[in-house]
Amino acid sequence: MNFKTFESPQKWFRFEYPANWEILVVEGIPAFFDPEDSGVLQINSLEHKEKEADSEQELINYLKIQEIEYNEDLVARFQNKQGTQIVSCEFMKDDRHWCVYSISNGKRLILATFNTDGKITDSMYITLTKILSSIRF
């Protein structure tokens, strides 16, 4: 699989995504998708001015807005070699399957969401892992 590099307009982060995927920007939020699939990966980013970003708290806040109960036992936590904190979970809402990733390093935060009305295949999980693992702040 070939990849392209996306760099945020603010130059806060960059990552690799499949070369055959397309990008649309909706309300300032880039959305990446495979034109042969039904899912979409949206990447929201922000920078805290005064404090360090807290991946776990941002995930809790997102789930609360979505009216999804936070269950610590269903949350996965990772840290990559760059020191980036990644907290993730999955849920179903309105017949859509959602994967949410809260990713922070210092004061910068990315909230990545993938959703689809179909089943998430093993190959899509692998692709999402490659994309999210490639994030560099």
Side-chain angles (χ1 to χ4, degrees):
M1 180 181 298
N2 294 321
F3 287 84
K4 292 182 185 177
T5 299
F6 173 84
E7 186 168 28
S8 71
Q10 309 90 340
K11 309 277 190 242
W12 288 351
F13 65 91
R14 68 184 183 286
F15 62 87
E16 306 293 313
Y17 68 96
N20 67 313
W21 281 28
E22 297 179 15
I23 303 173
L24 289 176
V25 178
V26 180
E27 297 180 11
I29 299 170
F32 301 80
F33 62 96
D34 180 342
E36 304 296 319
D37 203 335
S38 64
V40 63
L41 176 66
Q42 293 180 299
I43 306 291
N44 298 282
S45 64
L46 64 92
E47 183 174 45
H48 288 278
K49 298 298 180 197
E50 298 178 11
K51 62 178 183 169
E52 299 274 312
D54 181 338
S55 295
E56 185 121 9
Q57 188 58 53
E58 296 294 344
L59 178 64
I60 291 168
N61 294 344
Y62 178 83
L63 294 174
K64 185 175 182 180
I65 290 167
Q66 299 300 319
E67 300 177 344
I68 302 296
E69 183 178 340
Y70 175 77
N71 182 338
E72 188 173 346
D73 294 336
L74 300 178
V75 173
R77 294 165 187 81
F78 310 92
Q79 181 174 332
N80 70 13
K81 292 177 185 175
Q82 188 188 20
T84 300
Q85 303 293 322
I86 303 170
V87 182
S88 67
C89 71
E90 295 181 44
F91 62 89
M92 294 290 295
K93 182 176 181 184
D94 300 329
D95 295 324
R96 297 193 68 79
H97 190 157
W98 291 79
C99 297
V100 181
Y101 306 88
S102 182
I103 306 161
S104 66
N105 190 305
K107 294 182 177 183
R108 295 186 176 157
L109 175 94
I110 294 172
L111 187 68
T113 59
F114 179 81
N115 76 86
T116 180
D117 59 2
K119 181 182 183 294
I120 301 177
T121 63
D122 289 344
S123 65
M124 181 56 75
Y125 279 117
I126 291 168
T127 300
L128 290 170
T129 299
K130 287 179 181 177
I131 293 169
L132 298 168
S133 296
S134 75
I135 291 175
R136 297 293 178 259
F137 286 91

